[in-house]
Structures are given as structure tokens and as C-alpha cells.
Amino acid sequence: MRDGDAVRSGLLIDWGGVLTTSLFASFQAYCVKVQLDPRILRERFAGDPACRELLIALENGELPEATFERELASLLGVQANGFVDGLFAGVELDAAMVDAVRHARAAGVRTALVSNSWGVHRYPHELFGELFDGIVISGEERMRKPSRRMYELGAERAGVPAGSCVYVDDLPFNLSPAERLGMATVHHTSAETTIPELERLLGHALR
């Protein structure tokens, strides 16, 4: 992690797997339910160009979710109807992390969501006004992390310089662009480890 000495005044944070429970755990559980080896899904996204292109197009907002679902299911040899909903069925809000953002904003920290999306309808938009000063969702912006511009927009919409921000993500490769912009970064693995780091970096109690 990179943090320097100064207390930060902005918090940029990912959604899935940070403000929610693990996406990977939910995906794995559903794959088991439909008798698909979870390793196949991971391996196809990591190493199959066709699957990667589908995922990138979905996250960039270039491909409707229904088309993504149909084509991905075909590549995996599973039933398409309800497949994406099934993958997300086990995802819930992480109450401790959501409360930490709420506490940070109440303390005067400027906040922004910076998230790669699988369709923009899966977010609880009713919470956004309470939690965030700015919103950057890949499907709405027509670009995705790790594009540098996603992080720049996050800082701009939070209303603070990039070098005054902390960025939190559960995927390590999404942290590097934030670091290059001068942000402190936190690799999220659990609320128990992330919240104390944020308290130190932001200078506020978040529990």
C-alpha cells in the first residue's frame, strides 16, 4: 500500500466485492448448483479471448446483459435463462463496509463510487445519495477499470485532487492506476482489515 504521511480527504471505492460480499463466492456457489466446475468460469474469463471480449463489452456498456448472458452460456454449455442472476444470487451488502462509507462522508470525507458494472440495474441506487458525492460506473461511462480516466473521474466527481484520495478495490490489478495518480490504495479482503486502514488514512473513526 502507498499512503505517504498526509491524512487523505477523499475516498474512492469499488462496489462488488468491497461494499458487498464476495462475488467470487457467489459465482462459485451458483456454478456448483448448475453442475458447472467453477474453475471453468474463472479459466475462461482469464484465458479465453472470446469470453474476455464478452466481459469487456458488457462492462463497457457496449453489450446488453441479455446478449452477454446468452453468448456466455453458449460458450460454457449451460442454460442461458437466469444464468447471470444466478451468479449474483449470493451477493449481499457488506453492512460494515457500507457503514464505514456512511461514517466517512458524515465526517466530511468526499466519497465516490468507481465500479465496473455487469449492467447498471444491479446497484441499490436508493443508497447512492446517502453514500456518495460522485458516481463512476463503467457501463455508463463506456470505459472500465483499469482505465486511468475512471479514477480521474472519481476524484473529480468527489471534488478532491487525486493525490488526496484513498482508493479501495478487491482486485489488486485495479489498484496500480490509482497509485500512479498519487492515491493511497487499500487491497480489500475483509471489513476487519480494510476499515482500520481507512481510519488511519482518513483520520476518522468509521465504526
Side-chain angles (χ1 to χ4, degrees):
M1 179 175 60
R2 169 179 176 169
D3 58 0
D5 297 321
V7 170
R8 307 292 173 129
S9 58
L11 172 61
L12 311 184
I13 194 162
D14 183 32
W15 184 262
V18 177
L19 295 178
T20 75
T21 55
S22 171
L23 300 186
F24 300 111
S26 180
F27 285 16
Q28 178 168 329
Y30 188 68
C31 285
V32 171
K33 181 178 179 179
V34 298
Q35 299 182 324
L36 173 68
D37 186 338
R39 293 174 297 181
I40 293 175
L41 183 63
R42 291 195 301 270
E43 290 167 0
R44 296 296 288 271
F45 278 143
D48 182 336
C51 281
R52 288 291 301 164
E53 288 174 8
L54 284 176
L55 179 61
I56 290 169
L58 176 69
E59 291 184 340
N60 279 340
E62 299 167 355
L63 188 70
E65 183 179 306
T67 304
F68 168 81
E69 180 176 63
R70 183 175 61 252
E71 295 189 14
L72 177 63
S74 177
L75 287 171
L76 296 173
V78 297
Q79 172 65 39
N81 187 37
F83 183 63
V84 173
D85 282 340
L87 290 175
F88 281 89
V91 178
E92 300 176 349
L93 289 178
D94 185 320
M97 288 299 300
V98 170
D99 281 344
V101 176
R102 189 178 287 118
H103 283 303
R105 194 171 185 222
V109 175
R110 301 289 292 181
T111 61
L113 175 69
V114 182
S115 175
N116 284 352
S117 60
W118 281 38
V120 299
H121 65 286
R122 297 187 184 281
Y123 299 91
H125 293 272
E126 68 278 5
L127 289 178
F128 282 6
E130 178 184 359
L131 296 177
F132 305 116
D133 297 295
I135 304 293
V136 184
I137 293 175
S138 66
E140 297 176 343
E141 305 298 336
R142 295 298 193 263
M143 59 182 163
R144 63 195 283 275
K145 296 178 293 186
S147 169
R148 176 188 177 98
R149 187 62 182 147
M150 288 284 286
Y151 307 86
E152 291 174 337
L153 279 176
E156 290 172 13
R157 292 177 186 175
V160 290
S164 297
C165 293
V166 180
Y167 177 66
V168 185
D169 204 298
D170 62 322
L171 299 178
F173 54 79
N174 282 335
L175 299 174
S176 298
E179 291 174 351
R180 289 193 289 271
L181 287 169
M183 298 181 187
T185 59
V186 177
H187 176 211
H188 175 79
T189 57
S190 70
E192 290 75 17
T193 58
T194 294
I195 292 174
E197 280 298 298
L198 289 178
E199 289 177 329
R200 181 177 68 84
L201 290 163
L202 298 172
H204 298 287
L206 303 180
R207 291 170 282 187

Short mmCIF file of all heavy atoms in Angstrom, two decimals, residues 105-139:
data_model
loop_
_atom_site.label_atom_id
_atom_site.label_comp_id
_atom_site.label_asym_id
_atom_site.label_seq_id
_atom_site.Cartn_x
_atom_site.Cartn_y
_atom_site.Cartn_z
N ARG A 105 -18.34 9.86 5.09
CA ARG A 105 -18.98 11.03 4.47
C ARG A 105 -19.55 11.97 5.53
O ARG A 105 -19.45 13.20 5.39
CB ARG A 105 -20.09 10.56 3.52
CG ARG A 105 -20.57 11.67 2.59
CD ARG A 105 -21.48 11.15 1.53
NE ARG A 105 -21.82 12.20 0.59
CZ ARG A 105 -23.05 12.38 0.10
NH1 ARG A 105 -24.03 11.57 0.45
NH2 ARG A 105 -23.28 13.36 -0.76
N ALA A 106 -20.11 11.41 6.58
CA ALA A 106 -20.64 12.25 7.66
C ALA A 106 -19.54 13.06 8.33
O ALA A 106 -19.79 14.15 8.86
CB ALA A 106 -21.36 11.38 8.69
N ALA A 107 -18.31 12.52 8.31
CA ALA A 107 -17.17 13.21 8.92
C ALA A 107 -16.55 14.25 7.98
O ALA A 107 -15.59 14.91 8.36
CB ALA A 107 -16.11 12.19 9.32
N GLY A 108 -17.08 14.38 6.77
CA GLY A 108 -16.58 15.38 5.84
C GLY A 108 -15.69 14.85 4.75
O GLY A 108 -15.19 15.63 3.92
N VAL A 109 -15.43 13.54 4.72
CA VAL A 109 -14.66 12.94 3.64
C VAL A 109 -15.52 12.94 2.37
O VAL A 109 -16.70 12.59 2.41
CB VAL A 109 -14.24 11.50 3.99
CG1 VAL A 109 -13.55 10.83 2.82
CG2 VAL A 109 -13.35 11.49 5.22
N ARG A 110 -14.93 13.34 1.26
CA ARG A 110 -15.63 13.31 -0.02
C ARG A 110 -15.54 11.90 -0.60
O ARG A 110 -14.48 11.27 -0.58
CB ARG A 110 -15.02 14.31 -0.99
CG ARG A 110 -15.04 15.74 -0.48
CD ARG A 110 -16.43 16.32 -0.47
NE ARG A 110 -16.93 16.51 -1.83
CZ ARG A 110 -18.13 17.04 -2.12
NH1 ARG A 110 -18.95 17.39 -1.14
NH2 ARG A 110 -18.51 17.17 -3.38
N THR A 111 -16.64 11.39 -1.10
CA THR A 111 -16.69 9.98 -1.49
C THR A 111 -17.18 9.82 -2.93
O THR A 111 -17.99 10.61 -3.41
CB THR A 111 -17.65 9.19 -0.57
OG1 THR A 111 -18.97 9.74 -0.68
CG2 THR A 111 -17.20 9.28 0.88
N ALA A 112 -16.68 8.77 -3.59
CA ALA A 112 -17.16 8.44 -4.93
C ALA A 112 -17.08 6.94 -5.14
O ALA A 112 -16.16 6.27 -4.68
CB ALA A 112 -16.35 9.17 -6.00
N LEU A 113 -18.07 6.42 -5.83
CA LEU A 113 -18.08 5.03 -6.29
C LEU A 113 -17.36 4.95 -7.62
O LEU A 113 -17.62 5.76 -8.52
CB LEU A 113 -19.53 4.57 -6.46
CG LEU A 113 -19.75 3.18 -7.04
CD1 LEU A 113 -19.29 2.11 -6.04
CD2 LEU A 113 -21.22 2.97 -7.39
N VAL A 114 -16.44 4.00 -7.75
CA VAL A 114 -15.73 3.75 -9.02
C VAL A 114 -15.84 2.26 -9.29
O VAL A 114 -15.12 1.45 -8.70
CB VAL A 114 -14.26 4.21 -8.96
CG1 VAL A 114 -13.58 3.98 -10.31
CG2 VAL A 114 -14.17 5.69 -8.57
N SER A 115 -16.73 1.86 -10.19
CA SER A 115 -17.12 0.46 -10.28
C SER A 115 -17.24 0.00 -11.72
O SER A 115 -17.82 0.69 -12.56
CB SER A 115 -18.48 0.27 -9.57
OG SER A 115 -18.97 -1.04 -9.71
N ASN A 116 -16.72 -1.21 -12.01
CA ASN A 116 -17.01 -1.90 -13.26
C ASN A 116 -18.33 -2.63 -13.09
O ASN A 116 -18.54 -3.33 -12.10
CB ASN A 116 -15.91 -2.90 -13.61
CG ASN A 116 -14.67 -2.23 -14.14
OD1 ASN A 116 -14.64 -1.03 -14.40
ND2 ASN A 116 -13.60 -3.00 -14.32
N SER A 117 -19.21 -2.49 -14.07
CA SER A 117 -20.58 -2.96 -13.90
C SER A 117 -20.92 -4.14 -14.80
O SER A 117 -20.43 -4.25 -15.92
CB SER A 117 -21.56 -1.82 -14.20
OG SER A 117 -21.39 -1.35 -15.53
N TRP A 118 -21.78 -5.01 -14.27
CA TRP A 118 -22.46 -6.02 -15.07
C TRP A 118 -23.91 -5.56 -15.20
O TRP A 118 -24.81 -6.11 -14.56
CB TRP A 118 -22.40 -7.38 -14.38
CG TRP A 118 -21.09 -8.11 -14.53
CD1 TRP A 118 -19.85 -7.57 -14.53
CD2 TRP A 118 -20.91 -9.52 -14.71
NE1 TRP A 118 -18.90 -8.55 -14.68
CE2 TRP A 118 -19.53 -9.76 -14.79
CE3 TRP A 118 -21.79 -10.60 -14.78
CZ2 TRP A 118 -19.00 -11.05 -14.95
CZ3 TRP A 118 -21.28 -11.88 -14.95
CH2 TRP A 118 -19.89 -12.09 -15.04
N GLY A 119 -24.14 -4.55 -16.00
CA GLY A 119 -25.46 -3.95 -16.07
C GLY A 119 -25.65 -2.97 -14.92
O GLY A 119 -25.30 -3.26 -13.78
N VAL A 120 -26.19 -1.80 -15.20
CA VAL A 120 -26.28 -0.76 -14.18
C VAL A 120 -27.47 -0.96 -13.24
O VAL A 120 -27.58 -0.27 -12.22
CB VAL A 120 -26.35 0.64 -14.83
CG1 VAL A 120 -25.10 0.90 -15.66
CG2 VAL A 120 -27.59 0.78 -15.71
N HIS A 121 -28.34 -1.89 -13.53
CA HIS A 121 -29.55 -2.06 -12.71
C HIS A 121 -29.29 -2.85 -11.43
O HIS A 121 -30.18 -2.92 -10.57
CB HIS A 121 -30.62 -2.79 -13.53
CG HIS A 121 -30.25 -4.19 -13.90
ND1 HIS A 121 -29.31 -4.47 -14.87
CD2 HIS A 121 -30.67 -5.40 -13.42
CE1 HIS A 121 -29.18 -5.78 -14.98
NE2 HIS A 121 -29.98 -6.37 -14.12
N ARG A 122 -28.11 -3.43 -11.25
CA ARG A 122 -27.87 -4.27 -10.08
C ARG A 122 -27.50 -3.46 -8.83
O ARG A 122 -27.43 -4.03 -7.74
CB ARG A 122 -26.75 -5.28 -10.37
CG ARG A 122 -27.13 -6.25 -11.46
CD ARG A 122 -26.13 -7.36 -11.66
NE ARG A 122 -26.56 -8.14 -12.79
CZ ARG A 122 -27.54 -9.05 -12.75
NH1 ARG A 122 -28.15 -9.30 -11.61
NH2 ARG A 122 -27.89 -9.71 -13.84
N TYR A 123 -27.26 -2.19 -8.99
CA TYR A 123 -26.87 -1.37 -7.84
C TYR A 123 -28.10 -0.88 -7.07
O TYR A 123 -29.13 -0.57 -7.69
CB TYR A 123 -26.08 -0.14 -8.32
CG TYR A 123 -24.80 -0.46 -9.04
CD1 TYR A 123 -24.78 -0.61 -10.43
CD2 TYR A 123 -23.61 -0.60 -8.35
CE1 TYR A 123 -23.60 -0.89 -11.10
CE2 TYR A 123 -22.42 -0.88 -9.02
CZ TYR A 123 -22.43 -1.03 -10.39
OH TYR A 123 -21.27 -1.31 -11.05
N PRO A 124 -27.99 -0.75 -5.75
CA PRO A 124 -29.09 -0.17 -4.98
C PRO A 124 -29.02 1.36 -5.07
O PRO A 124 -28.52 2.04 -4.18
CB PRO A 124 -28.81 -0.67 -3.55
CG PRO A 124 -27.33 -0.84 -3.50
CD PRO A 124 -26.91 -1.25 -4.89
N HIS A 125 -29.54 1.90 -6.15
CA HIS A 125 -29.41 3.33 -6.43
C HIS A 125 -30.00 4.18 -5.32
O HIS A 125 -29.60 5.34 -5.15
CB HIS A 125 -30.05 3.66 -7.77
CG HIS A 125 -29.35 3.07 -8.95
ND1 HIS A 125 -28.31 3.71 -9.59
CD2 HIS A 125 -29.51 1.88 -9.59
CE1 HIS A 125 -27.88 2.96 -10.59
NE2 HIS A 125 -28.58 1.84 -10.62
N GLU A 126 -30.93 3.63 -4.57
CA GLU A 126 -31.55 4.40 -3.49
C GLU A 126 -30.56 4.76 -2.39
O GLU A 126 -30.79 5.69 -1.61
CB GLU A 126 -32.73 3.63 -2.89
CG GLU A 126 -32.38 2.37 -2.12
CD GLU A 126 -32.16 1.13 -3.00
OE1 GLU A 126 -32.19 1.28 -4.25
OE2 GLU A 126 -31.97 0.04 -2.43
N LEU A 127 -29.43 4.04 -2.32
CA LEU A 127 -28.40 4.35 -1.32
C LEU A 127 -27.37 5.37 -1.80
O LEU A 127 -26.63 5.92 -0.99
CB LEU A 127 -27.65 3.06 -0.94
CG LEU A 127 -28.40 2.02 -0.12
CD1 LEU A 127 -27.50 0.80 0.11
CD2 LEU A 127 -28.84 2.60 1.21
N PHE A 128 -27.34 5.61 -3.09
CA PHE A 128 -26.24 6.40 -3.64
C PHE A 128 -26.20 7.83 -3.09
O PHE A 128 -25.14 8.36 -2.80
CB PHE A 128 -26.32 6.44 -5.17
CG PHE A 128 -25.83 5.19 -5.84
CD1 PHE A 128 -25.46 4.07 -5.10
CD2 PHE A 128 -25.73 5.13 -7.22
CE1 PHE A 128 -25.00 2.91 -5.73
CE2 PHE A 128 -25.27 3.99 -7.86
CZ PHE A 128 -24.90 2.88 -7.11
N GLY A 129 -27.35 8.47 -2.96
CA GLY A 129 -27.38 9.84 -2.47
C GLY A 129 -26.87 9.96 -1.05
O GLY A 129 -26.31 11.00 -0.66
N GLU A 130 -27.04 8.91 -0.28
CA GLU A 130 -26.58 8.90 1.11
C GLU A 130 -25.08 8.62 1.21
O GLU A 130 -24.41 9.15 2.10
CB GLU A 130 -27.36 7.84 1.87
CG GLU A 130 -26.95 7.67 3.32
CD GLU A 130 -27.69 6.53 4.00
OE1 GLU A 130 -28.54 5.89 3.36
OE2 GLU A 130 -27.40 6.28 5.19
N LEU A 131 -24.56 7.80 0.29
CA LEU A 131 -23.19 7.32 0.43
C LEU A 131 -22.16 8.10 -0.36
O LEU A 131 -21.01 8.21 0.07
CB LEU A 131 -23.11 5.84 0.01
CG LEU A 131 -23.89 4.83 0.84
CD1 LEU A 131 -23.76 3.44 0.22
CD2 LEU A 131 -23.42 4.82 2.29
N PHE A 132 -22.54 8.64 -1.52
CA PHE A 132 -21.53 9.12 -2.45
C PHE A 132 -21.78 10.56 -2.91
O PHE A 132 -22.91 10.95 -3.18
CB PHE A 132 -21.49 8.22 -3.69
CG PHE A 132 -21.27 6.77 -3.39
CD1 PHE A 132 -22.24 5.83 -3.68
CD2 PHE A 132 -20.09 6.35 -2.80
CE1 PHE A 132 -22.04 4.48 -3.42
CE2 PHE A 132 -19.87 5.01 -2.52
CZ PHE A 132 -20.85 4.06 -2.82
N ASP A 133 -20.68 11.29 -3.05
CA ASP A 133 -20.72 12.60 -3.69
C ASP A 133 -20.61 12.49 -5.21
O ASP A 133 -21.05 13.38 -5.93
CB ASP A 133 -19.58 13.47 -3.16
CG ASP A 133 -19.71 13.75 -1.68
OD1 ASP A 133 -20.69 14.42 -1.29
OD2 ASP A 133 -18.86 13.26 -0.91
N GLY A 134 -20.02 11.41 -5.69
CA GLY A 134 -19.87 11.20 -7.11
C GLY A 134 -20.02 9.73 -7.47
O GLY A 134 -19.78 8.84 -6.64
N ILE A 135 -20.43 9.47 -8.70
CA ILE A 135 -20.66 8.11 -9.19
C ILE A 135 -19.92 7.92 -10.52
O ILE A 135 -20.07 8.73 -11.43
CB ILE A 135 -22.16 7.84 -9.43
CG1 ILE A 135 -22.98 8.09 -8.16
CG2 ILE A 135 -22.38 6.42 -9.95
CD1 ILE A 135 -22.72 7.13 -7.05
N VAL A 136 -19.13 6.85 -10.61
CA VAL A 136 -18.47 6.49 -11.86
C VAL A 136 -18.70 4.99 -12.07
O VAL A 136 -18.09 4.15 -11.41
CB VAL A 136 -16.95 6.79 -11.83
CG1 VAL A 136 -16.33 6.50 -13.19
CG2 VAL A 136 -16.69 8.23 -11.42
N ILE A 137 -19.61 4.66 -12.98
CA ILE A 137 -19.96 3.27 -13.27
C ILE A 137 -19.60 2.99 -14.72
O ILE A 137 -20.00 3.73 -15.63
CB ILE A 137 -21.46 3.01 -13.02
CG1 ILE A 137 -21.77 3.14 -11.51
CG2 ILE A 137 -21.87 1.63 -13.52
CD1 ILE A 137 -23.23 3.02 -11.17
N SER A 138 -18.84 1.93 -14.94
CA SER A 138 -18.25 1.69 -16.26
C SER A 138 -19.29 1.63 -17.37
O SER A 138 -19.07 2.18 -18.45
CB SER A 138 -17.42 0.40 -16.23
OG SER A 138 -18.24 -0.74 -16.03
N GLY A 139 -20.41 0.98 -17.12
CA GLY A 139 -21.42 0.84 -18.16
C GLY A 139 -22.04 2.15 -18.58
O GLY A 139 -22.58 2.26 -19.69
#
